[in-house]
Amino acid sequence: MQKVISVIIYEPCELIRFSLDAYLKRYFKSVSVICCPKTEAELYAAILCVDFDVVIADLCNPARLFTPNISFIETYYQHHRDKPLIVWGGLPIWLRCYPHELMNLSFFVAKDSSLDQLNRLFSRAFRRESPRSCGFSAIPSNRLLTQKELMVISRLAQGISVKEVSSVFSISEKSVSVHKINAMRKLGIKSLGSLIINGLGGMKLS
């Protein structure tokens, strides 16, 4: 008898959440959606309290521009390094912000994937194959932001000054500027204005 795979879905958009649930029920008979948290607080509670096998989560929202919820990702892997996390909705500019050290632990499925791509990617994730084998167009490692670059650039994009960022992270203003320059080079942008435009334009907002 085939083992039932218990899945948690976190998708803020109700219509997309409903569609994803219906899709999984139709194409994956062994998958059971046991929980659909509607807020990030509920998602945190679910991964700590619910017995599950896989999490499918849209970890980005308009308030963060293109920056994923790094604190959730880190919390998840602290408690569930052995259970697949399917990052739902990731696009290239988004992936460049993903923590480098966690890149090879996660599966990535773009919302605009074709049906064949969805079936293939979800199948491999549910079988717990290596994320590297999932066929997603990975960003080269030298194009991924380090955690410091991500923290600095995400706050600068929110309009926080270099001086304030320096104070928040207890690093020099020169270090903030270096992280900013490196992050912008990796993202292929020339100004913080472009950062905001590319962030909003390079991601599907739900």
Side-chain angles (χ1 to χ4, degrees):
M1 184 176 177
Q2 194 170 19
K3 179 185 181 296
V4 175
I5 300 170
S6 300
V7 175
I8 294 173
I9 295 177
Y10 174 64
E11 165 54 63
C13 175
E14 187 173 357
L15 178 60
I16 297 176
R17 184 169 63 247
F18 176 82
S19 300
L20 179 57
D21 187 12
Y23 159 77
L24 292 172
K25 287 175 180 174
R26 178 173 181 181
Y27 289 96
F28 299 94
K29 303 303 182 187
S30 63
V31 168
S32 173
V33 177
I34 59 170
C35 183
C36 289
K38 295 181 180 179
T39 66
E40 290 187 355
E42 291 177 3
L43 177 61
Y44 275 99
I47 68 165
L48 296 174
C49 303
V50 176
D51 185 19
F52 68 92
D53 298 305
V54 179
V55 168
I56 302 171
D58 178 351
L59 297 172
C60 215
N61 66 39
R64 277 190 214 94
L65 302 178
F66 63 91
T67 308
N69 186 342
I70 300 302
S71 62
F72 171 80
I73 296 166
E74 292 177 335
T75 299
Y76 184 86
Y77 285 119
Q78 284 173 8
H79 292 87
H80 301 294
R81 208 171 184 87
D82 61 326
K83 296 182 179 181
L85 171 62
I86 301 175
V87 179
W88 166 245
L91 295 174
I93 193 167
W94 190 96
L95 288 178
R96 290 175 192 170
C97 305
Y98 204 84
H100 190 181
E101 65 275 15
L102 302 180
M103 192 77 182
N104 293 331
L105 297 176
S106 306
F107 295 85
F108 300 93
V109 180
K111 290 182 182 180
D112 58 356
S113 299
S114 68
L115 180 59
D116 285 345
Q117 289 173 322
L118 287 177
N119 289 342
R120 183 172 66 254
L121 294 169
F122 276 118
S123 292
R124 290 176 174 174
F126 292 144
R127 290 198 301 266
R128 301 193 182 198
E129 294 183 10
S130 167
R132 284 176 171 269
S133 70
C134 280
F136 195 93
S137 299
I139 302 297
S141 61
N142 64 354
R143 298 280 289 171
L144 292 169
L145 300 191
T146 65
Q147 193 163 11
K148 276 280 178 65
E149 290 166 352
L150 172 60
M151 291 189 301
V152 166
I153 203 73
S154 62
R155 280 158 179 80
L156 291 174
Q158 293 167 14
I160 299 174
S161 70
V162 169
K163 186 174 182 178
E164 289 173 310
V165 173
S166 168
S167 176
V168 168
F169 295 120
S170 300
I171 57 177
S172 69
E173 292 182 31
K174 183 176 180 180
S175 294
V176 172
S177 296
V178 169
H179 290 312
K180 169 188 169 184
I181 291 168
N182 288 340
M184 290 171 66
R185 176 178 51 79
K186 290 179 180 180
L187 293 170
I189 57 176
K190 296 182 179 179
S191 70
L192 285 177
S194 297
L195 175 68
I196 296 171
I197 292 168
N198 278 282
L200 291 171
M203 160 183 111
K204 302 273 187 189
L205 300 183
S206 51

